[in-house]
Amino acid sequence: MSPQTKNNTEYKLQRILDYNQNLRQQLDLPRVKVSHASSLLIEYVQSTKDYLVPSVWGPAGPADPFVTKNRVFCGSCIIS
């Protein structure tokens, strides 16, 4: 076996071992059932106000972080 072939074989083996290790790490990740994740998502959406959808939640009032402050605009753009 030539040195070049040996290096290629070792490289392929290392890639396979790294890939195998990556798969083992992914296997150890905690899993959540889709039904549970869906119920958590629905609960979050129903309990968290979305200020960008006032038709559902009504006017946001002073707590709205997206409200435009009272600024005076002259209608032109200034580029600096």
Side-chain angles (χ1 to χ4, degrees), residues 36-70:
H36 181 65
S38 300
S39 65
L40 289 175
L41 180 61
I42 291 170
E43 179 184 331
Y44 174 78
V45 169
Q46 290 177 342
S47 64
T48 305
K49 284 191 173 186
D50 186 357
Y51 295 113
L52 297 177
V53 188
S55 61
V56 175
W57 295 101
D64 186 358
F66 300 103
V67 71
T68 305
K69 307 297 182 214
N70 291 336

Side-chain angles (χ1 to χ4, degrees), residues 59-79:
D64 186 358
F66 300 103
V67 71
T68 305
K69 307 297 182 214
N70 291 336
R71 297 181 189 165
V72 177
F73 294 102
C74 62
S76 64
C77 179
I78 300 173
I79 301 174

Side-chain angles (χ1 to χ4, degrees), residues 3-20:
Q4 181 67 24
T5 307
K6 185 177 179 182
N7 286 340
N8 286 341
T9 306
E10 289 176 0
Y11 177 71
K12 288 179 183 179
L13 174 63
Q14 187 60 43
R15 284 183 49 201
I16 291 171
L17 291 174
D18 291 342
Y19 184 65
N20 191 4

